[in-house]
């Protein structure tokens, strides 16, 4: 059986999707898009809300790193990270 623990297909798909959406979004904003007249039409067509899109878009613009197009880990931060950041909590 094949070991899929290091398969990056999902990450590649996310990055490919967001690269496409960002290029199309910028075309809409600049008025070059033939398919969409307004940004709201763009959001509706792609089934995303403006807050989610702008979160990834602004994160990508600030860093320029495609890794920021991937979702971040959810949930509470690791306990060891909190201890390192706030050692006074143990006292």
């Amino acid at each position: 059986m094949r070991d899929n623990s290091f398969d990056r297909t999902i990450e590649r798909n996310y990055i490919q999707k967001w690269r496409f959406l960002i290029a199309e979004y910028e075309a809409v904003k600049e008025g070059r898009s033939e398919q969409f007249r307004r940004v709201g039409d763009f959001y509706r067509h792609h089934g995303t809300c403006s807050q989610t899109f702008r979160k990834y878009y602004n994160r990508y613009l600030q860093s320029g790193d495609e890794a920021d197009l991937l979702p971040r880990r959810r949930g509470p931060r690791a306990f060891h990270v909190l201890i390192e950041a706030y050692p006074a909590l143990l006292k």
Side-chain angles (χ1 to χ4, degrees):
M1 182 174 229
R2 193 171 93 168
D3 180 17
N4 290 332
S5 60
F6 297 106
D7 189 12
R8 301 287 184 213
T9 304
I10 294 175
E11 291 177 11
R12 271 196 319 271
N13 290 346
Y14 262 108
I15 290 173
Q16 182 179 3
K17 171 191 164 193
W18 283 103
R19 267 196 245 137
F20 169 76
L21 290 178
I22 287 172
E24 197 167 333
Y25 173 78
E26 290 176 344
V28 173
K29 292 295 280 184
E30 294 170 2
R32 294 184 290 113
S33 175
E34 296 177 9
Q35 189 174 8
F36 304 109
R37 299 197 65 147
R38 294 177 298 156
V39 178
D41 300 335
F42 167 81
Y43 294 139
R44 265 189 299 286
H45 177 75
H46 291 292
T48 185
C49 66
S50 62
Q51 292 88 352
T52 302
F53 180 82
R54 284 184 286 140
K55 175 177 73 173
Y56 287 106
Y57 180 68
N58 289 328
R59 191 186 297 168
Y60 174 70
L61 284 183
Q62 286 180 350
S63 71
D65 186 16
E66 287 188 344
D68 284 329
L69 296 175
L70 299 172
R72 293 188 178 158
R73 298 186 95 187
R74 297 179 62 184
R77 295 180 65 187
F79 185 69
H80 66 87
V81 173
L82 292 174
I83 291 174
E84 291 172 6
Y86 303 102
L89 291 176
L90 294 177
K91 294 180 182 179

